[in-house]
Amino acid sequence: MAALAPALAAWLLLSPRGCGAAADGANGTCRGSARCQPGVLLPVWQPDEPAAGDKAARAIVYFVAMMYLFLGVSIIADRFMASIEVITSREKEITVTKANGETSVGTVRIWNETVSNLTLMALGSSAPEILLSLIEVCGHRFQAGELGPGTIVGSAAFNMFVVIAVCVYAIPAGESRRIKHLRVFFVTASWSIFAYIWLYLILAVITPGVVQVWEAFLTLLFFPACVVFAWAADKRLLFYKYVYKRYRADPRSGIIIGTEAERPPKDLEADGGFPALPEPEPGAASPSPTPEEKELDESRREVIQILKDLKQKHPEKELEQLLDAANYMALVHQQKSRAFYRIQATRLMTGAGNVLKKHAAEAARRSPALPGEDDEDDDEDEACSRIFFEPCLYHCLENCGSVTLAVACQQGLGANQTFYVDFRTEDGSAKAGSDYEYSEGTLIFKPGETRKELAIGIIDDDIFEEDEHFFVRLLNLRVGDAEGMFEADSDDHPKGKLVAPLVATVTILDDDHAGIFGFRERSVRVSECQGHVEVTVVRSSGARGTVMVPFRTVEGTARGGGVDYEDASGELEFRNDETAKTLQVKIVDDEEYEKKENFFIELGTPRWLKRGISALLLAQGDGDRQLSAEEEEARRIADMGKPVLGDNRRLEVVIEESYDFKNTVDKLMKKTNLATVIGTHSWREQFLEAITVSAGDEDDDDEGREERLPSCFDYVMHFLTVFWKVLFACVPPTALLGGWAAFGVSILLLALLTALIGDLAAHFGCTLGLKDSVNAVVFVALGTSIPDTFASRVAALQDPCADASIGNVTGSNAVNVFLGLGLAWSVAAVYWAAQGRPFRVPPGTLAFPVTLFTIFAFLAIGVLLWRRRAPIGGELGGPRAPKVLTAGLFLLLWLLYVLFASLEAYCHIQGF
């Protein structure tokens, strides 16, 4: 339907004027000027009055040149928006202190999303219109023109009606998109409508036909006022905190999302807070999180949910293997800025490819090169042989006779030496000569030998005593040959070395007692990703008889029953001379970023199963028969040897987050900044991008991350735009000066192209006899708004909310007026005030289109709000019938706007 606009303009040129237009025709107010005037940069094409055929040829040349310059504007705007994305994506580190005093460090954005959208983002998308208005005024001796203001109003109409119509229709059938930040949308929508009402007031009511200095400056000051009001709405400051808010949980990620409601639900506080929680214990501090902490927590939850989904889909893969896929999914699903969608749309349209898929493909190509960076050091280490105890802990009963220890030798690459290593025993609580036999000697590892054993004698006695231990140490490693000839070894690159463990510990267990049972530690820590915790119950101070030890799990802050762990209970059977048993408890991995919960494992009273004479004596005392003195003494001695629990009868198990999982989340948090995707680091990178053709595939599916081959359309658009791509690759990379260098150079080049477009548009209009106001609405506004149309469509399809697609339309419309007209008129008004003359702006060129746009905008916003109700459920998409009707209505409003504005410009209908 947008193609009907040029046909409408041609019809207006050829159609007769309405009654009363003859007088206007005499002074040329109802017809465009047929005589071209020199532009800011382009001179008039001579001769001044060509033949009809030459006029048509000139019009075609002007039109084609203007369209080609619009392509150039799209390319340089791509660089401009990339610099804005890098600037507004700057992050800072914050330290979050929890209630228990623990701290964690995270990164959050410095720029507020609403402020960046209404300032730099809006400036980036509206720069051509703003610069055109400013250049037109300054380049024509500070006289008011029609092309710049007409483009601003026409672009606003195109954005409000055509762009939203495209977004409504683009959503797949049955799906819908809602505006998330409804307060901000209300503010920007109100300001955008007020902006055009204000234009009507200063042009036709307050000082008709004249713009005074205070009016121009007040128009400009409305821009920061709009930003402040939107920021206050976003932060729920002032009266906005009394706007009722409803909370719901996102079904995919579980994140709490806030939306405005007509009345507060009963279970919510009046200021939009969460449902009241139980009163904390006295003295318990629970400070509310800051907005930065909330943002950091939400970002982490998104990344964690993505990792969980991928792990469920690919359970056989490790977290490191899923890192690239998770990074791609995080980039696809995270909320994106207006700048990103503008860049994505421009690159898809010009054959530069899908930004996210190119980034994922490059990351996949780089990832295989990462392992092996320390290969040289590894090679040096692998050439050195290592000798150590394996294992280093030994237990034996005192009646075992001897204990055998193993010493391992890890032969280095190419090793052909014989190693001599000495050993000797050292006393601990066990003493040589009374508990074990002192021993020393030399172990010889010939080439190829990897294991040697040594035996230490154990001395048995019949005295009841505690468990005792002694040590065996390795020392004095020498390198030699089989004949015992030793050679010097280098300190820098040794052929062999002793490594930990150099000392083995041997514990002698007493066999004259049933044993004391307990855990080795009082507390153990386990990562939730391990799936289970394995603990050892040890039997010390004796190992006689078969003993059953009951155990059970007890809840602490961790919940049993499959929530944080699986309940476990049972008995451990220690056979005669058996000194250790292990038990397992299953841990539930719910993949939390930070976790510290505990439960306990308790041991019950041990009981003898196969007891021997001591057990029989104890059993006799359980009956009614009176024991003799000898039996009583024997029973007392037997009672001293029965199994008992030791001090560590209750073990605390602390469940912590998986460090691998936490590190993976932290890596993703650092890699999911979109500025790293669309930013550039060198001129070489920019020139390579400029000459490379990539597939313009819009589908950011989770599985198909590989790049596809470019299509014929991609090649055609690439060759049409390659000149601009290579030219604007000279813009400084966004990594230089934090993006500000690219920002400054891009806006200068954008101003140059805008000046050329303004001259070409004026020459095109005068060649056809087309009025500047109509030319601006039909052609120039269309050319400047096409990239925004594609950007909004991409945003509507890829973003779960409607803010990036239509929420920013109202903000851009307000910025167009406040900056585009406020800045240009302030400069002109000050200039003419210095000359002692007023700055005149004919109201007829703007008042009628502004009034028309305001009426239609009220209707459009009313329709959007009505669509939020249950049958449709969102501003965009919905069932097919309402979707088609809404899109048709919005397109009809735009055509009516173009029609009536053009009819008024050519005096077919009466304006103001």
Side-chain angles (χ1 to χ4, degrees):
M1 293 185 72
L4 296 177
L8 176 62
W11 172 75
L12 289 170
L13 285 173
L14 299 176
S15 63
R17 287 167 288 152
C19 59
D24 294 331
N27 56 24
T29 59
C30 291
R31 276 194 181 275
S33 174
R35 183 175 294 276
C36 295
Q37 302 296 325
V40 177
L41 297 176
L42 294 182
V44 177
W45 192 342
Q46 299 294 333
D48 257 356
E49 297 181 0
D54 290 341
K55 277 191 175 184
R58 287 186 183 185
I60 292 173
V61 171
Y62 285 138
F63 181 78
V64 172
M66 192 164 56
M67 293 300 106
Y68 193 65
L69 284 175
F70 278 134
L71 284 178
V73 167
S74 298
I75 302 300
I76 188 59
D78 177 289
R79 296 287 181 197
F80 188 45
M81 296 298 274
S83 68
I84 290 173
E85 178 68 25
V86 170
I87 291 169
T88 57
S89 296
R90 290 187 60 192
E91 296 177 332
K92 65 177 180 181
E93 286 191 350
I94 63 168
T95 301
V96 180
T97 304
K98 305 176 197 173
N100 59 3
E102 293 184 3
T103 60
S104 63
V105 178
T107 57
V108 295
R109 288 198 173 190
I110 296 175
W111 281 73
N112 176 267
E113 180 186 353
T114 299
V115 173
S116 64
N117 281 339
L118 284 177
T119 52
L120 292 182
M121 298 291 182
L123 176 63
S125 61
S126 303
E129 295 94 330
I130 296 170
L131 291 172
L132 182 61
S133 176
L134 182 62
I135 291 170
E136 184 184 34
V137 167
C138 296
H140 292 88
R141 301 180 180 179
F142 301 100
Q143 298 286 344
E146 294 184 355
L147 193 62
T151 301
I152 287 177
V153 181
S155 177
F158 190 90
N159 290 340
M160 178 64 75
F161 306 130
V162 178
V163 170
I164 294 180
V166 170
C167 293
V168 169
Y169 189 77
I171 304 301
E175 296 183 18
S176 62
R177 305 281 192 274
R178 291 170 64 91
I179 292 176
K180 178 182 177 182
H181 301 290
L182 194 59
R183 297 187 308 275
V184 177
F185 175 75
F186 279 146
V187 171
T188 55
S190 301
W191 276 99
S192 66
I193 293 178
F194 167 76
Y196 293 93
I197 295 176
W198 172 250
L199 279 185
Y200 173 77
L201 291 176
I202 63 176
L203 290 175
V205 177
I206 301 175
T207 54
V210 175
V211 175
Q212 297 183 0
V213 175
W214 71 270
E215 293 174 328
F217 273 104
L218 189 57
T219 303
L220 184 59
L221 290 175
F222 281 144
F223 169 65
C226 172
V227 175
V228 170
F229 268 80
W231 174 79
D234 182 49
K235 293 294 185 181
R236 299 184 63 82
L237 302 177
L238 303 177
F239 59 88
Y240 293 109
K241 68 181 179 180
Y242 300 110
V243 177
Y244 296 135
K245 193 170 184 181
R246 179 187 293 115
Y247 287 93
R248 63 182 176 86
D250 185 280
R252 183 178 65 83
S253 63
I255 296 176
I256 301 298
I257 296 175
T259 56
E260 281 73 12
E262 288 78 8
R263 295 181 61 82
K266 293 181 180 180
D267 59 343
L268 296 184
E269 298 179 4
D271 64 348
F274 286 98
L277 297 174
E279 288 295 326
E281 296 180 4
S286 56
S288 59
T290 64
E292 290 83 4
E293 292 173 2
K294 290 180 180 178
E295 178 187 346
L296 179 62
D297 188 52
E298 287 191 3
S299 300
R300 280 176 178 163
R301 288 185 185 182
E302 284 283 355
V303 170
I304 289 169
Q305 185 63 39
I306 288 170
L307 281 173
K308 287 182 178 181
D309 293 342
L310 280 174
K311 191 66 178 175
Q312 187 174 7
K313 189 181 294 185
H314 305 285
E316 75 284 356
K317 293 186 178 181
E318 298 294 333
L319 280 176
E320 284 295 326
Q321 295 175 301
L322 297 175
L323 192 59
D324 287 338
N327 180 35
Y328 176 78
M329 288 183 64
L331 290 172
V332 169
H333 292 296
Q334 72 169 276
Q335 186 175 354
K336 303 175 184 66
S337 66
R338 179 75 175 178
F340 174 82
Y341 288 119
R342 177 71 179 260
I343 294 167
Q344 177 80 306
T346 301
R347 297 188 184 181
L348 290 173
M349 186 175 62
T350 58
N354 187 306
V355 174
L356 294 179
K357 288 195 173 183
K358 287 181 65 177
H359 175 74
E362 290 172 5
R365 284 194 294 268
R366 288 195 302 265
S367 57
L370 294 178
E373 292 179 356
D374 299 327
D375 287 344
E376 185 176 347
D377 295 337
D378 292 342
D379 291 342
E380 293 180 2
D381 291 339
E382 289 176 1
C384 177
S385 299
R386 297 173 174 81
I387 298 175
F388 53 91
F389 278 110
E390 187 181 33
C392 63
L393 296 176
Y394 296 86
H395 297 82
C396 66
L397 294 171
E398 65 177 359
N399 63 355
C400 67
S402 66
V403 59
T404 301
L405 284 67
V407 180
C409 176
Q410 286 185 350
Q411 296 281 355
L413 293 177
N416 193 27
Q417 292 84 21
T418 299
F419 295 100
Y420 297 80
V421 58
D422 296 340
F423 71 90
R424 70 168 179 236
T425 58
E426 298 178 355
D427 285 351
S429 57
K431 305 300 179 183
S434 58
D435 296 308
Y436 72 95
E437 297 175 356
Y438 176 80
S439 180
E440 64 178 356
T442 301
L443 299 175
I444 302 174
F445 289 91
K446 296 180 179 179
E449 291 184 337
T450 60
R451 186 179 178 88
K452 287 289 183 177
E453 293 181 347
L454 59 96
I456 308 295
I458 304 298
I459 300 174
D460 190 14
D461 58 37
D462 294 328
I463 304 172
F464 171 70
E465 54 191 352
E466 296 289 333
D467 295 343
E468 299 171 321
H469 67 275
F470 66 94
F471 306 104
V472 182
R473 183 180 297 276
L474 298 177
L475 67 161
N476 193 22
L477 174 66
R478 292 145 354 249
V479 181
D481 54 24
E483 285 74 25
M485 301 297 294
F486 302 117
E487 58 186 61
D489 200 3
S490 170
D491 292 335
D492 295 331
H493 303 288
K495 296 176 182 178
K497 59 182 178 181
L498 295 175
V499 296
L502 298 176
V503 179
T505 302
V506 181
T507 302
I508 304 173
L509 304 176
D510 185 68
D511 62 347
D512 302 314
H513 189 279
I516 300 174
F517 297 86
F519 296 105
R520 280 181 176 164
E521 306 92 6
R522 290 184 179 273
S523 177
V524 297
R525 296 176 180 270
V526 59
S527 173
E528 63 176 355
C529 69
Q530 291 181 5
H532 68 275
V533 57
E534 186 174 281
V535 297
T536 303
V537 180
V538 295
R539 183 185 196 180
S540 59
S541 301
R544 177 169 295 176
T546 301
V547 179
M548 303 297 291
V549 181
F551 68 91
R552 63 169 184 158
T553 56
V554 179
E555 288 187 351
T557 56
R559 311 298 296 173
V563 178
D564 294 308
Y565 68 93
E566 297 285 354
D567 295 319
S569 61
E571 287 186 324
L572 298 175
E573 180 180 350
F574 286 81
R575 298 183 182 275
N576 189 46
D577 291 342
E578 195 170 12
T579 58
K581 277 286 187 180
T582 60
L583 63 91
Q584 286 188 354
V585 179
K586 185 177 179 182
I587 305 297
V588 178
D589 185 6
D590 49 9
E591 293 181 327
E592 294 184 19
Y593 179 77
E594 291 181 335
K595 184 173 185 175
K596 192 172 183 179
E597 298 173 332
N598 68 339
F599 68 95
F600 302 91
I601 304 176
E602 291 183 347
L603 298 180
T605 303
R607 58 186 178 86
W608 259 326
L609 192 64
K610 296 179 180 178
R611 310 181 181 184
I613 186 63
S614 297
L616 292 175
L617 289 171
L618 290 173
Q620 290 177 3
D622 295 337
D624 297 332
R625 187 177 67 84
Q626 186 69 29
L627 297 178
S628 64
E630 293 81 3
E631 291 176 331
E632 190 69 38
E633 178 64 18
R635 185 180 184 282
R636 186 184 66 80
I637 295 174
D639 188 61
M640 293 175 59
K642 73 178 182 180
V644 295
L645 291 177
D647 293 334
N648 295 343
R649 64 185 67 185
R650 180 180 170 98
L651 175 71
E652 180 189 22
V653 180
V654 181
I655 306 174
E656 298 180 324
E657 71 275 3
S658 165
Y659 291 107
D660 290 339
F661 183 78
K662 185 175 182 179
N663 291 336
T664 304
V665 171
D666 290 338
K667 287 180 185 177
L668 284 175
M669 292 286 289
K670 293 178 181 178
K671 295 173 68 175
T672 52
N673 190 329
L674 286 170
T676 62
V677 178
I678 62 178
T680 53
H681 298 83
S682 66
W683 274 284
R684 178 180 179 274
E685 180 184 348
Q686 292 184 167
F687 279 104
L688 285 177
E689 284 184 358
I691 61 176
T692 303
V693 189
S694 300
D697 181 20
E698 290 184 17
D699 298 328
D700 286 325
D701 55 301
D702 297 339
E703 299 297 333
R705 294 185 294 113
E706 68 281 356
E707 289 186 280
R708 300 180 184 177
L709 293 176
S711 64
C712 179
F713 176 79
D714 296 324
Y715 279 107
V716 170
M717 292 304 299
H718 173 72
F719 286 115
L720 283 176
T721 57
V722 68
F723 168 76
W724 297 117
K725 290 179 180 179
V726 173
L727 177 63
F728 296 137
C730 299
V731 173
T734 55
L736 194 63
L737 299 179
W740 287 106
F743 180 88
V745 174
S746 297
I747 201 168
L748 290 177
L749 293 174
L750 197 55
L752 177 63
L753 287 187
T754 304
L756 289 173
I757 288 175
D759 291 350
L760 286 173
H763 292 344
F764 173 72
C766 68
T767 301
L768 294 180
L770 195 64
K771 292 197 69 172
D772 281 347
S773 59
V774 177
N775 187 16
V777 170
V778 176
F779 294 103
V780 184
L782 193 66
T784 58
S785 299
I786 287 297
D788 283 328
T789 307
F790 283 100
S792 293
R793 180 180 177 275
V794 172
L797 289 172
Q798 296 182 3
D799 203 276
C801 303
D803 299 71
S805 53
I806 67 171
N808 288 324
V809 166
T810 54
S812 296
N813 287 349
V815 171
N816 280 351
V817 173
F818 298 143
L819 275 185
L821 294 182
L823 188 60
W825 286 356
S826 295
V827 172
V830 169
Y831 172 82
W832 288 113
Q835 303 292 326
R837 298 167 58 186
F839 174 49
R840 299 193 177 276
V841 179
T845 59
L846 275 181
F848 182 79
V850 163
T851 305
L852 195 64
F853 169 77
T854 304
I855 295 171
F856 287 173
F858 269 115
L859 177 61
I861 292 176
V863 171
L864 290 177
L865 294 179
W866 173 79
R867 285 175 54 86
R868 290 177 64 89
R869 295 185 175 274
I872 300 175
E875 290 83 358
L876 305 183
R880 179 171 178 78
K883 181 172 70 171
V884 172
L885 289 175
T886 304
L889 173 63
F890 277 65
L891 288 175
L892 179 63
L893 289 176
W894 180 71
L895 287 175
L896 289 175
Y897 168 81
V898 173
L899 174 63
F900 286 119
S902 302
L903 289 174
E904 190 273 339
Y906 283 97
C907 303
H908 289 280
I909 60 175
Q910 186 65 36
F912 298 114

